[in-house]
Amino acid sequence: MPPDISLITLALLCLAALAAGWIDAVVGGGGLLLLPALLVGLPHTPAAFILGTNKSTAIVGTTAAAITYVRKAPIDVRNGLRIGLAALGGSLAGAFFAAGINSEVLRPLIMAVLLAVLAFILFRPSFGTAPALSGPVTRQRVLAAILIAGLGLGFYDGLIGPGTGAFLVIALTAILHMDLVTSSATAKVVNTCTNAGALVMFGIQGTVLWQLGALLAVFNLLGSLVGARMALKRGAGFVRGVLVVVVVALLCKLAFDQWIAA
C-alpha cells in the first residue's frame, strides 16, 4: 500500500473499483474509470505501477463476470478460448513494453480511444441490438476475430488497457455477428485472458501494488457480479445505453482534466 495515500483517497478508489466492476461486467471499459482514478489518487506513482495495479484489480471482477456469463448466456466457449489464448500472448507482449509508458501520455491516448468508440456507436444506432445470427460462423471470421480481437486488442490491453472490454464487445459484434449480450459475455472470457497475461508480466517486472490491488479487487468483484446479472436480465438495448453513457461521461471528465483543470 502506498505510504502517502489518505483514507479519503482510498475510499474514493474503492468506489471507483466498484463502479468499474459494474461497467466491465455490463459492457466493458471499466478501466476507463479506474485507471484515471488511480492516476489522480496516486499522482507520484510511476505509470507502470498504475497499470499493473489496475490489472490486479480488474482480473478478479472480469473472471467473476466471465463465470456468470458462461453459466447463463449462449456463448461459444470454444471460440472464446481460441481468441482468449491469442489475447493472452498479445497482452504479455504489450505489458513487456508498458514499462516505457509515461503517465503524461496516457490521458490523451485514452481520449482518442473514447472518441473513436463514441463515433462508431453513434453512427451505427442499430449496432448489436439485432439478434445474433444463427449457425456457425465461417473460419475466416473466426481467424479475423483471433487476430483483431485476440492478438491486437490483447497487445493494447497489456500496453495501456482502458477500453479493452468495450473494444472487444464492438469487435466481436462486428466480426462474428453477435448481439451485444452474447459479445459482452464472450468478451469477458477473452478479457480474463488478457488481464492474466498482462498481470503475469507486470508481476515479473515488480510493478504491482499488491495490497492496494487486493483491496480494490474486492469492490471490483462486487460490482461485476451485480453488473453481469443486470446485463443478462435487461438485454442488448440496456448494454448499448450503458456503453454510450460511460463513453460520454469519461470523455468529458478526461477533457476537463486535460484542458481546464490543468
Side-chain angles (χ1 to χ4, degrees), residues 78-90:
R78 183 182 179 188
N79 281 337
L81 289 176
R82 286 176 176 177
I83 300 167
L85 287 174
L88 177 65

Side-chain angles (χ1 to χ4, degrees), residues 161-224:
T164 300
F167 293 145
L168 282 170
V169 171
I170 291 172
L172 292 170
T173 303
I175 298 171
L176 300 180
H177 296 305
M178 298 175 175
D179 62 69
L180 280 174
V181 173
T182 305
S183 63
S184 184
T186 308
K188 299 304 166 291
V189 176
V190 178
N191 209 180
T192 298
C193 294
T194 67
N195 283 338
L199 183 58
V200 166
M201 185 57 67
F202 285 125
I204 292 172
Q205 295 175 338
T207 55
V208 181
L209 302 173
W210 291 109
Q211 287 181 306
L212 177 61
L215 176 62
L216 298 182
V218 173
F219 290 87
N220 192 260
L221 172 62
L222 294 174
S224 70

